[in-house]
Every structure is written in structure tokens, then in C-alpha cells.
Amino acid sequence: MQTNLRGRDVIDFQEWTKDEVDTVLDVAFALKRDRALGQPHPYLRDKVLAMLFFFASTRTRASFEAGMAQLGGHAQFIESRSTQIAHGDTAKEIGEILGRYNDGIAIRNVDWGVGNTYLREVATASRAPVLNMQCDQFHPHQALADLMTVIERFGDPRGRTATVSWACARSYSKPISVPQSLILLLPRFGMNVRLVHPPEFALMPEVVEQARENARRSRASFEVLDDFDEGIRGTDVVYAKSWGAVLTATDEAEEARLLDRYASWVTDGRRLATAGEDAVYMHPLPAERGVEVTDEVIDGPRSAVYDQAENRLHGQKAVMALTMR
Ligand code: CP
């Protein structure tokens, strides 16, 4: 167990050791237990978290804000559009200033080619830790909640297979941050990972290579497939969600044409039936029902989507209690 995580940024858990992530998991499950028992746990009394959003959120905002209240502190909700960022406040200034007012700065900026750089610039300038509420490359707190959910369902995740797959959705071009954080984190806990996507929906090559290396070090397997049915067959975790063709499509019209080509990539009962006998369906939400996944699957007995959403609260509370104390 690592006991000196105060002040640490969370841009992605790839930058934390396995031992450090184990500590977060340990504290997260303890806090979940405390909450179930009605046991107060005000580890961050009088502390304040700034939550700076450049993009919409339901779960991330609500879970960070509830978590800070349950830890005895306060979270201030700041939308970029109601700040002076559009009129010139730089990332350095945001880090310097919000870091002096607060004990942590959480940021969501998913703009492709911008978000991760922005978070790192704020982190460099800030005296308080920066927590990634999703950038263009990573969504570490989603991956943490997902790992907690897998552990709750299966116990030791070692040797289990997780299929991290693209699925069709049309509402907007979603970031590649969820699959990237998942393929990095899950193999470190001994899970065999199948990354499945049409060729045009590739992830960042350097991230895929790092995921492959994580798997090699854990003696787990890592495969990249382009057949949805093959990817699901016999697996333990069906984690199928949409993401944008950010590395290949040059405009929205081209991405729309690709979506037409791969419209059959929907998680339905027929496909889920080919997975392992105790397989679980996972999705970070929001999902496009009827396009990305059928009601039968997302509302069915194998769906873990509400446990994933709940675990956002407990995982993030652990991160905040350890880094902002
Ligand atoms: N899963 C997730 O990050 O949800 P929100 O976009 O609602 O925060």
C-alpha cells in the first residue's frame, strides 16, 4: 500500500504504479462499505475542489460533487463558457489561480488535440493536484470505476477476458478516451484484452503499443480484431461503445458515411448470447439505445451499467481523499 499520494495529479493511471492503483482500489472499496453502513468519512473537511467543464456531463459532475460533500468538503462547478477563458484566461493562469483557491482542480476538456495538453498545462502551473474528468485521450476515473465493477462481478480479474469494442452511435463523435484508458488499465490487472473496431476507428498507435506492453508484463494477452462477432465470442466482459474516427475521418460527412457502413455494430441479445456464460455487459453511458445497444441487453440481467455509474462515486472519493488531504 502506498501512503504518500498527496498532491498527485491523475491524468491517466498509466502514470501511477500498480501498487498505487491498488491503494486507490483498497480505499475505494472501504469508502463504499462506509457509505453502505452510514458511517461518516469526512477526510476532506474544509477542502474545496474546482470542477472546470468544457463539455457536458451527467455522471462525472454529479459523482465528483456528491463525493466532495460526502468527504466533508465542497465542489465548485465552473463551466468554461461562463468564465473569461474565451476572453484570454490561459491554462497557466487557470492553474495558478484556481490552484491557490482550491485543494484540487478537476477538468473535463475533450476537444481532440487540445484536452490532454490543456490539463497538463494547468497541472504544471497549479500547486493543487489536477484530476482528469475526461480529456481527448483518457478517462481514468471511468476506467477505475469499471475495474472496480469487474472485480465485484468476478473477484480476481486475472485470466478473465475483456472485449473493448467499438459500437455504432450517431449522436456525436465521442472521444476515444474511454477505450484508451481501459486497454491500458485492464491488462495491468491480468486481464486478457480484445480491442475490436473497424479499421477506420483505430485508437492512438502509441497507446495501443503501451497496452500491449502492459499485457506482456502481466503475462496477459492483447489482440486487435476487426470482427465484432469474433470479438464477443466466449468473452467475460462485453464493453462495447461508440467512439469517433478521430484519426482517419477529416469531416463529419465522412464519419457519417462510415457509420452507415458499420451500422450493424449493435450489442443485441444474439451477440451477447455468444459471450461466456457469466459474461457481463458494460457501458460508461450515455448509450444510444436501439443504435449502439438494444434495450434487452442494457436493461437485462447481465448489464452492469448502474454499478459502473455508482462506482464512479466511490473510486473518485478514494482518489480525492488520497490526493487532496
Ligand atoms: N461516463 C461519463 O463520463 O458520463 P458523463 O459524460 O455523463 O459524465
Side-chain angles (χ1 to χ4, degrees):
M1 173 170 276
Q2 295 299 312
T3 54
N4 188 20
L5 295 170
R6 187 168 183 272
R8 286 285 296 278
D9 300 322
V10 180
I11 308 295
D12 192 67
F13 287 114
Q14 183 65 26
E15 293 158 24
W16 286 42
T17 66
K18 166 81 166 43
D19 206 18
E20 289 166 345
V21 182
D22 280 335
T23 301
V24 174
L25 288 170
D26 192 60
V27 173
F29 284 121
L31 290 172
K32 186 169 185 175
R33 180 178 177 278
D34 281 352
R35 179 162 166 76
L37 292 170
Q39 185 74 37
H41 38 268
Y43 296 117
L44 294 181
R45 188 174 283 143
D46 301 329
K47 305 274 185 176
V48 183
L49 175 74
M51 303 187 302
L52 174 57
F53 283 91
F54 290 77
F55 193 75
S57 167
T58 303
R59 284 144 289 270
T60 303
R61 177 193 173 176
S63 54
F64 268 101
E65 193 164 331
M68 274 306 288
Q70 291 165 20
L71 291 167
H74 172 73
Q76 52 170 320
F77 174 63
I78 307 170
E79 281 187 295
S80 62
R81 65 184 172 194
S82 60
T83 68
Q84 298 285 26
I85 289 173
H87 302 144
D89 280 341
T90 65
K92 178 171 187 279
E93 289 162 356
I94 291 293
E96 279 281 0
I97 295 163
L98 295 188
R100 292 177 190 220
Y101 298 158
N102 295 279
D103 303 285
I105 306 174
I107 303 173
R108 168 169 284 194
N109 185 336
V110 298
D111 292 342
W112 176 243
V114 173
N116 189 267
T117 303
Y118 185 86
L119 262 74
R120 291 188 191 281
E121 284 179 15
V122 173
T124 299
S126 173
R127 61 181 65 174
V130 167
L131 308 180
N132 185 355
M133 295 196 294
Q134 189 175 27
C135 69
D136 53 333
Q137 297 183 21
F138 305 114
H139 198 354
H141 296 96
Q142 182 65 57
L144 175 67
D146 297 337
L147 176 60
M148 289 177 68
T149 307
V150 167
I151 291 169
E152 288 173 335
R153 292 275 168 149
F154 295 113
D156 188 346
R158 277 179 298 183
R160 293 283 184 171
T161 298
T163 297
V164 178
S165 179
W166 184 87
C168 187
R170 296 175 184 276
S171 58
Y172 68 100
S173 182
K174 296 176 183 172
I176 58 175
S177 48
V178 169
Q180 293 211 144
S181 282
L182 280 172
I183 64 167
L184 288 170
L185 188 63
L186 298 181
R188 297 175 75 193
F189 288 79
M191 295 194 79
N192 302 313
V193 169
R194 296 178 190 165
L195 171 63
V196 188
H197 59 76
E200 298 88 345
F201 290 87
L203 302 182
M204 293 168 66
E206 59 270 38
V207 171
V208 173
E209 205 41 52
Q210 186 62 63
R212 198 184 300 282
E213 175 62 14
N214 289 352
R216 190 190 65 75
R217 289 185 185 195
S218 299
R219 295 189 165 85
S221 65
F222 184 86
E223 299 171 273
V224 182
L225 308 170
D226 61 7
D227 183 313
F228 196 23
D229 289 318
E230 187 186 343
I232 289 179
R233 200 171 298 124
T235 195
D236 296 304
V237 173
V238 179
Y239 200 122
K241 77 171 298 295
S242 84
W243 63 79
V246 291
L247 295 176
T248 53
T250 50
D251 58 33
E252 286 181 15
E254 187 181 352
E255 187 153 320
R257 280 194 296 277
L258 290 173
L259 293 178
D260 289 340
R261 190 181 304 164
Y262 299 113
S264 66
W265 285 55
V266 51
T267 310
D268 56 17
R270 179 194 66 77
R271 285 198 165 105
L272 193 60
T274 69
E277 63 179 343
D278 56 354
V280 62
Y281 169 76
M282 298 179 71
H283 192 293
L285 304 180
E288 276 186 56
R289 288 168 176 259
V291 181
E292 200 174 5
V293 56
T294 61
D295 288 344
E296 169 196 26
V297 168
I298 198 167
D299 294 328
R302 295 183 178 211
S303 175
V305 297
Y306 297 125
D307 290 339
Q308 291 174 260
E310 179 182 344
N311 283 332
R312 293 292 305 274
L313 173 72
H314 310 298
Q316 290 157 198
K317 282 168 69 179
V319 168
M320 292 189 289
L322 289 163
T323 61
M324 292 172 55
R325 65 187 164 77

